[in-house]
Every structure is written in structure tokens, then in C-alpha cells.
Amino acid sequence: MEQLQDSTILSPGHKDVTAGPCLQTAGCRNVAPVLNRVGDKWSMMIVMTLSDGSKRFSELKRAIDGISQRMLTLSLRGLERDGMVSRTVTPTIPPRVDYELTELGRSLREPVKALGDWAIKHIDCIRSAQRRFDEREDAA
């Protein structure tokens, strides 16, 4: 059990919403690895590529421009470990390995699409801000 600063004892699964920053800090520590995974460029490209159905490793590699074999392997393993992607091996010669989104992975499609739409909508503004910043840094 976890004891908070105000002596409130929490049993597993119980959250005291009145505990203030103490829980928020623990929550941040718990959420940070998940945000690192779902915020990773390659992981999101894999999620979007798999959003229309299962794919073999080589299909993913061809569909995701610029990803190395090693990075694809590492990203798929991380997504599989986090429960967002399933890996199915069919015992043929050579073995066939297919990757597809799990229910949890499919639930990411909407927020990832929304983030992509936001980036497309604001890319000119972002690039303009980057130019202004770079010009200011160059002048200094």
C-alpha cells in the first residue's frame, strides 16, 4: 500500500483525488513511458500503417519511408509489449509473421489522426515560428 504525505493510505487500485500533487507526480511517472511510446514518430507511423489491417514485416518496411530494419523491429517489439500490436507467426517455410493492431492499438487511431490533422493545419504557422527563432539565433 502507498502512504501519501497527508497519512492517507491507498490500497492497490484506489486513488484519492484529493491528494493533490503527490498523485499527479506518481501519475506522471506512470504515464511518461506510455507517452514516450505513443509519441514516438516510428510507433505512430506503424499504428497508422496497420490501421487498415494486418501487414507483414516487409510490407511495413516498404510502407514506412526511412525506417531502418532495426528501428522497425524495436518499435514493433515495444508496441507488442505495450499491448498495442499483436504478432502472429504462421509455421510455413519460411515462417510468415503478421502484425496487426490489438483493440488497444485500434483505440489509438483516432487520437493519432487528430494529432496529424492538427500538425497539417498548423504546419505553416510552426515553420514560420521556426524561421523567426532561427533568424533570432543567427543574429545573436
Side-chain angles (χ1 to χ4, degrees):
M1 286 195 278
E2 181 180 353
Q3 186 164 359
L4 299 175
Q5 290 176 346
D6 66 356
S7 300
T8 303
I9 296 187
L10 300 179
S11 61
H14 173 82
K15 293 182 181 174
D16 181 356
V17 295
T18 64
C22 193
L23 271 181
Q24 291 172 346
T25 302
C28 287
R29 282 194 307 267
N30 291 329
V31 171
V34 175
L35 293 178
N36 285 337
R37 169 82 55 226
V38 299
D40 171 72
K41 163 178 127 174
W42 298 121
S43 295
M44 290 306 88
M45 292 180 83
I46 291 168
V47 167
M48 293 314 294
T49 303
L50 290 174
S51 67
D52 61 349
S54 71
K55 303 238 183 322
R56 295 178 76 174
F57 186 91
S58 57
E59 291 175 296
L60 285 166
K61 176 101 171 62
R62 280 192 302 272
I64 302 171
D65 188 39
I67 193 167
S68 68
Q69 183 168 330
R70 176 173 162 65
M71 189 52 67
L72 180 55
T73 299
L74 291 172
S75 298
L76 284 166
R77 279 191 189 148
L79 288 166
E80 184 181 6
R81 181 174 184 262
D82 291 346
M84 292 179 229
V85 168
S86 67
R87 179 179 184 266
T88 304
V89 180
T90 306
T92 59
I93 300 182
R96 178 185 173 110
V97 181
D98 291 284
Y99 296 91
E100 67 181 319
L101 294 177
T102 62
E103 184 177 338
L104 181 62
R106 286 189 297 275
S107 73
L108 260 179
R109 291 182 299 192
E110 185 90 15
V112 169
K113 183 180 180 320
L115 186 56
D117 291 344
W118 177 88
I120 289 167
K121 180 178 178 182
H122 295 93
I123 192 66
D124 291 335
C125 182
I126 292 167
R127 286 188 176 147
S128 176
Q130 290 170 338
R131 277 191 300 275
R132 285 191 309 272
F133 180 89
D134 292 345
E135 288 168 2
R136 189 177 72 223
E137 289 295 306
D138 289 343

